[in-house]
Amino acid sequence: MVSLSERQHILAACPLCAGLTAAAREELCVATTTHSIAAHAYLFSEDEPANACYVLAQGQVRLSKLAATGEQVILRIVQPPEPVGIIAVLPQAVYPLSAYALRPCTLLAWDHPTLTGLIERHPLLAVRALHLVSGRFIELQQQYLERNVERVERRLARTLLRLANQVGRRVPDGVLIDLPLSRQDLAEMSGTTLYTVSRTLSRWEQDGIVASTRTQVVICAPHRLVSIADDLPK
């Protein structure tokens, strides 16, 4: 269970609630239910009816979409206190992405009828939700563009930098991408093959840009990775 005070703290930091009055956030807080999901399970799948909107309280959630080619495109890794499934603010919507728990997760939830009532009383909530939806749509467009027109090395560099921004944690050797991350995951996120990712990471390790294991990556020289991502001259 998530206590009332913990819910208040989570919603106060959630971008979905930015700009709302304390009284409005209190009403949203009281209206939430708590939802738990085990690691390696789906919160919802792409094209399912969007029956609820969530705010992640604990854990990590991966948002992904199936491309026309059958490949999985990972859009982002959600961290607390980000919202998940915000498309549920729209009537008769379906989830455009799948949400998969990388770790055991606890979420605050509003079902669609509850959410509709909250929006009617607090229109700014809908504005914030649509802003977040549009931002994630732009992210998805950018990733599709990268997959279609950019060299593999740039795509992989951008993927690592994006992950570092979302879940990076400072460690003595650089920036640790703090989630269980296989090289196959990186291949799917970058639109390339496992062989290419392994070969590129090995070269970057020799150059002192990254340090990696089967499940972790540390960016040792972020400025050099930015140079690769932006295709700057050496």
Side-chain angles (χ1 to χ4, degrees), residues 142 145-152 154-155 158 229:
Q142 179 62 34
L145 181 63
E146 290 172 8
R147 292 166 70 95
N148 289 329
V149 304
E150 293 184 353
R151 293 182 296 106
V152 170
R154 290 189 70 188
R155 297 204 304 264
R158 286 180 184 271

Side-chain angles (χ1 to χ4, degrees), residues 17-208:
C17 300
L20 294 177
T21 65
R25 287 199 307 270
E26 181 69 19
E27 184 178 352
L28 264 67
C29 182
V30 172
T32 59
T33 58
T34 303
H35 188 85
S36 296
I37 183 171
H40 313 304
Y42 280 92
L43 177 62
F44 54 77
S45 296
E46 183 178 341
D47 294 331
E48 285 183 0
N51 294 326
C53 175
Y54 305 88
V55 174
L56 185 62
Q58 296 174 339
Q60 287 176 326
V61 171
R62 184 186 71 196
L63 300 181
S64 63
K65 186 172 183 64
L66 199 63
T69 58
E71 296 175 308
Q72 178 178 232
V73 180
I74 299 175
L75 176 59
R76 70 182 290 114
I77 307 299
V78 178
Q79 297 272 86
E82 290 185 77
V84 187
I86 47 180
I87 197 70
V89 299
L90 302 177
Q92 299 181 329
V94 298
Y95 294 117
L97 307 170
S98 295
Y100 175 83
L102 295 172
R103 290 176 174 157
C105 294
T106 302
L107 305 102
L108 308 182
W110 301 282
D111 60 27
H112 183 73
T114 300
L115 194 59
T116 299
L118 290 168
I119 287 171
E120 289 174 352
R121 293 187 293 279
H122 308 288
L124 182 58
L125 185 60
V127 174
R128 296 298 183 208
L130 292 175
H131 177 76
L132 291 167
V133 168
S134 64
R136 290 186 180 172
F137 179 71
I138 291 170
E139 286 182 24
L140 185 59
Q141 281 187 314
Q142 179 62 34
Q143 289 191 36
Y144 272 116
L145 181 63
E146 290 172 8
R147 292 166 70 95
N148 289 329
V149 304
E150 293 184 353
R151 293 182 296 106
V152 170
E153 189 176 54
R154 290 189 70 188
R155 297 204 304 264
L156 181 56
R158 286 180 184 271
T159 295
L160 291 175
L161 290 169
R162 190 179 292 118
L163 287 169
N165 183 57
Q166 293 172 9
V167 298
R169 178 167 58 86
R170 284 283 180 185
V171 294
D173 293 334
V175 180
L176 170 67
I177 296 175
D178 193 15
L179 73 157
L181 187 69
S182 71
R183 295 191 173 189
Q184 182 61 45
D185 291 331
L186 285 174
E188 292 176 355
M189 296 176 79
S190 306
T192 186
T193 63
L194 173 61
Y195 171 77
T196 300
V197 165
S198 296
R199 184 183 61 184
T200 304
L201 287 179
S202 295
R203 186 170 69 251
W204 288 351
E205 286 177 9
Q206 292 173 1
D207 293 341

